[in-house]
């Protein structure tokens, strides 16, 4: 039974050096996604600062503010994972 039949990822079939590189690349893609969520979230916050919600007296921007935190945390996590893979601390 090979690694794929046991439920491992495709990268488990690669040599260790290539696996670390591919895993680091995937982590960098996660970091890029987080950065994009943050950037576009900021755009949404700015566009909705002057719009007021109909049910509560707060700007609609409050609804989009969590995107900034979530995107930043995702970006930092992706960068940390990538560094870990490149330094050989992750499998």
């Amino acid at each position: 039974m090979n690694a794929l039949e046991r439920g491992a990822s495709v990268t488990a079939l690669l040599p260790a050096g290539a696996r670390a590189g591919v895993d680091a690349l995937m982590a960098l893609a996660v970091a890029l996604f987080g950065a994009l969520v943050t950037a576009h979230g900021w755009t949404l916050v700015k566009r909705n600062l002057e719009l007021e919600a109909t049910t509560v007296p707060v700007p609609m921007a409050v609804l989009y503010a969590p995107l900034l935190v979530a995107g930043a945390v995702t970006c930092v996590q992706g960068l940390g994972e990538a560094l870990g893979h490149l330094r050989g601390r992750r499998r």
Side-chain angles (χ1 to χ4, degrees), residues 35-68:
L36 290 171
V37 168
T38 303
H40 290 286
W42 178 247
T43 301
L44 283 170
V45 168
K46 287 191 311 185
R47 286 184 181 174
N48 289 286
L49 273 174
E50 296 187 18
L51 295 176
E52 194 168 293
T54 56
T55 55
V56 290
V58 296
M60 287 294 291
V62 171
L63 297 174
Y64 299 107
L67 287 174
L68 303 176

Side-chain angles (χ1 to χ4, degrees), residues 3 10-12 19-20 25 28 33 35 38 44 53 57 65 71 75 87:
V10 175
T11 59
R19 185 179 327 127
L25 202 60
L28 287 174
F33 173 75
T38 303
L44 283 170
C75 184
R87 292 180 178 165

